[in-house]
Amino acid sequence: MSSPDRSQSILSQRVRAIKQSPSNYANQLATELKAQGRDIISFALGEPDFPTPEHVKEAAIEAMRRNQTRYTTVDGLTELKAAVCGKFRRENGLEYTPDQISIGTGGKQIIYNALLCTLDPGDEVIVPAPYWVSYIDQAILAEAVPVTVPCLQEHGFKLQAEQLARAITPRTRWLLINSPNNPSGAIYTRDELKALADVLLEHPHVWVLTDDMYEHLRYDGIEFATIAQVEPRLYERTVTVNGVSKAYAMTGWRIGFGGGPKFLIDAMRKMQSQCTSNPNTIAQLASIAALNGPKDFMAERIRIFQARRDLVVDAVNRIPGLSCPTPQGAFYVFPSCSGWIGKRTPQGKVLVNDQDVAIYLLEHANVAVVQGDAYGIAPNFRISYATSIELLEEGLARIKRAAEQLS
Ligand SMILES: Cc1ncc(COP(=O)(O)O)c(C=O)c1O
C-alpha cells in the first residue's frame, strides 16, 4: 500500500499553489464547532441572510412544471442575456447586445473564465488590496502573477491613480476593480474611477475587469458608477461583472453574468463548454424573473443592512484597540486590530498577527471572523453583518469582553 504522502504526489503544482477560500474555511470551522455543541456566533458569512424573493422562487417552480429542465446554450439563455442587457442599460447606462453577454455559474465563474481566456504564464494582474480572496488564486490558477497594491485606510481603502500608474508594467494584462468592495465596503466615486481611467487610457495594453457584485447594497444614498460608463473610451477593453447572488439574495442559485467585447465572450463560451456547460437552467429562468421583476423589496433590506452597519461600526469603535471607518456599501466592516497586536491573551499567548486575533476570538470568545491577511491588508479582520441585530449585539459584546481580557 502506498503511504499517504506518496499518494498525495498525484496533486498538481497548480492545486498546491492555491489555498481554500479563507472565508469558506472560517465558516466551515464555525459550523464544525457548532456541530460539536459550541455556542459559536459566525460573522464570517458572505451572503445576505434574507430569503430569495417569492416571485423569483415562483418562476423557478413554474419552470420545472413546464419541464424547462434541459441543457441551454452553453453561456446562457438568450432571454436571460436580454434581461441582463436591459439591466446594464437601465441601471448602468451601458449598451451591450446579447452576444456580448456571458452567463455563468456565479460571478465567480465569469471572472475565472475571463482570466483563463486572457492570461499566459508570467502575465500580471493588478489587484488592489483589500481584495476578494478569489482574485489572487484565480490569477495563480491561470499561471499569471497577481500584483497586489495595498490601499490604505486613510485613502478609504481605495486605489490611487499614482499607485496604479506605478504598478503597470509591459506584462500587465488586467486591473481588477471591486466596488462596493468586499471586505472594506468602499465605493469608488465617479471622479475616482475617472482618475483611474485616465491612467488606463495611457496604457492601451491594460484591460479592466470590474466586479460590481454589491452594486445594490449601498447606504446613505451614495451613488454607484462603473468604469465603462464613466469612461466610454475604455468600453472596448472592459469586462463588467455582476450577478443576482447579493442583490436578490440568490447566492445558492449560482447565476452571475458579464458584459464585454464579443470576441472575448466567444472565447469564454468555448472555455465554459469544456468545463461546466450551461449554468443551472431553472436558476437561469428564476434570474430572468429577478432582473425583470419588481425591486421594491430591496429598499427595506437596505434599510435593515444600514441599521446593522451603524450598530457594528459604533460598537467596534468603542472596543479598545479596534477602529474602523464607516463603510458605504456591501455588508462588511473591516476594522484594524493593530491595538491588539503584541498583547497577551488570558491563556498567555501573545497575539502576533491578525490570524492569532481570529483564532483568539474563535477559541476564547466563540465568535468567527476572517483575518484581514486573507484579503491582503493586515492587521485587520472582516465582520459580516449579514446576521440579526441580536446576534450582532451578542457577538460584539463577546469581542469587547475578549478585548478587555488582553494585557
Ligand atoms: C466581491 C465578490 N465578487 C464575486 C463574488 C461571487 O459571487 P457569485 O459567484 O455568487 O456570483 C463574491 C461572493 O462572495 C464577492 O464577494
Side-chain angles (χ1 to χ4, degrees):
M1 233 171 61
S2 58
S3 70
D5 280 348
R6 193 118 158 242
S7 59
Q8 285 187 16
S9 66
I10 187 74
L11 296 177
S12 65
Q13 297 294 336
R14 181 172 293 110
V15 79
R16 286 167 201 245
I18 61 165
K19 56 192 177 311
Q20 184 184 349
S21 155
S23 47
N24 288 0
Y25 179 68
N27 255 312
Q28 186 184 314
L29 208 59
T31 310
E32 282 168 13
L33 289 173
K34 265 191 215 170
Q36 290 165 19
R38 289 262 302 271
D39 165 32
I40 302 287
I41 294 180
S42 180
F43 290 162
L45 279 177
E47 58 184 345
D49 54 326
F50 299 114
T52 301
E54 282 308 314
H55 68 277
V56 177
K57 290 193 266 189
E58 284 304 325
I61 294 165
E62 190 47 34
M64 286 187 278
R65 292 229 163 87
R66 285 198 310 261
N67 292 317
Q68 289 181 290
T69 52
R70 304 224 166 116
Y71 292 133
T72 69
T73 325
V74 165
D75 61 352
L77 288 162
T78 311
E79 226 185 323
L80 177 53
K81 292 184 181 185
V84 169
C85 291
K87 174 258 176 295
F88 279 137
R89 187 175 309 119
R90 227 175 24 246
E91 297 178 355
N92 309 115
L94 288 174
E95 288 297 331
Y96 288 110
T97 49
D99 58 2
Q100 289 182 282
I101 301 294
S102 178
I103 314 287
T105 299
K108 196 172 224 171
Q109 185 177 30
I110 299 292
I111 300 168
Y112 191 45
N113 283 346
L115 297 181
L116 274 187
C117 288
T118 51
L119 293 169
D120 284 318
D123 285 345
E124 295 171 6
V125 180
I126 297 177
V127 186
Y131 43 70
W132 180 48
V133 290
S134 295
Y135 302 142
I136 302 292
D137 294 289
Q138 290 195 353
I140 292 171
L141 284 172
E143 297 183 53
V145 181
V147 175
T148 58
V149 183
C151 303
L152 303 177
Q153 184 165 321
E154 52 264 40
H155 292 147
F157 293 116
K158 290 186 258 191
L159 181 68
Q160 307 296 294
E162 318 76 71
Q163 290 182 296
L164 173 60
R166 275 199 304 275
I168 291 174
T169 75
R171 293 305 304 264
T172 308
R173 290 286 168 272
W174 289 100
L175 163 67
L176 304 189
I177 299 179
N178 172 216
S179 169
N181 178 269
N182 173 6
S184 72
I187 299 183
Y188 285 80
T189 64
R190 261 169 203 279
D191 287 351
E192 287 163 346
L193 288 175
K194 182 73 181 86
L196 296 178
D198 286 346
V199 175
L200 294 175
L201 287 173
E202 288 169 27
H203 300 276
H205 67 292
V206 181
W207 283 53
V208 55
L209 185 149
T210 173
D211 176 348
D212 301 346
M213 196 57 70
Y214 293 89
E215 167 183 2
H216 288 285
L217 303 177
R218 306 187 310 277
Y219 313 113
D220 309 321
I222 188 160
E223 190 204 20
F224 174 79
T226 188
I227 195 155
Q229 168 195 33
V230 170
E231 179 44 88
R233 284 176 291 174
L234 287 181
Y235 174 85
E236 286 301 331
R237 49 181 164 120
T238 299
V239 173
T240 307
V241 178
N242 212 316
V244 292
S245 286
K246 315 286 174 173
Y248 297 90
M250 290 177 69
T251 46
W253 300 71
R254 310 306 305 125
I255 298 292
F257 46 84
K262 182 176 177 311
F263 78 90
L264 177 56
I265 296 297
D266 288 345
M268 288 163 62
R269 181 187 325 114
K270 185 163 75 170
M271 184 68 71
Q272 192 160 308
S273 77
Q274 297 299 3
C275 302
T276 59
S277 295
N278 66 272
N280 180 297
T281 303
I282 300 152
Q284 288 191 63
L285 289 153
S287 299
I288 296 172
L291 293 174
N292 290 345
K295 313 265 179 279
D296 41 351
F297 67 92
M298 278 187 200
E300 172 65 2
R301 293 181 178 191
I302 287 165
R303 199 190 55 71
I304 293 172
F305 271 138
Q306 184 166 327
R308 294 171 178 176
R309 177 205 63 170
D310 292 344
L311 179 145
V312 175
V313 169
D314 183 57
V316 163
N317 284 318
R318 289 168 192 272
I319 296 175
L322 301 185
S323 68
C324 68
T326 302
Q328 295 171 310
F331 39 71
Y332 310 106
V333 295
F334 193 58
S336 160
C337 54
S338 62
W340 288 20
I341 303 302
K343 295 244 162 129
R344 199 174 286 277
T345 70
Q347 293 76 26
K349 184 176 176 349
V350 175
L351 300 175
V352 172
N353 52 35
D354 56 23
Q355 186 166 5
D356 286 349
V357 168
I359 293 171
Y360 172 59
L361 287 177
L362 187 62
E363 290 186 344
H364 189 79
N366 284 342
V367 177
V369 298
V370 187
Q371 72 274 16
D373 183 49
Y375 306 96
I377 291 283
N380 286 59
F381 58 85
R382 188 189 79 169
I383 294 177
S384 161
Y385 53 85
T387 192
S388 69
I389 291 276
E390 295 71 38
L391 286 177
L392 288 169
E393 280 175 343
E394 171 59 21
L396 287 158
R398 291 183 189 183
I399 297 177
K400 185 156 187 280
R401 281 197 295 276
E404 287 161 358
Q405 287 166 24
L406 294 173
S407 54

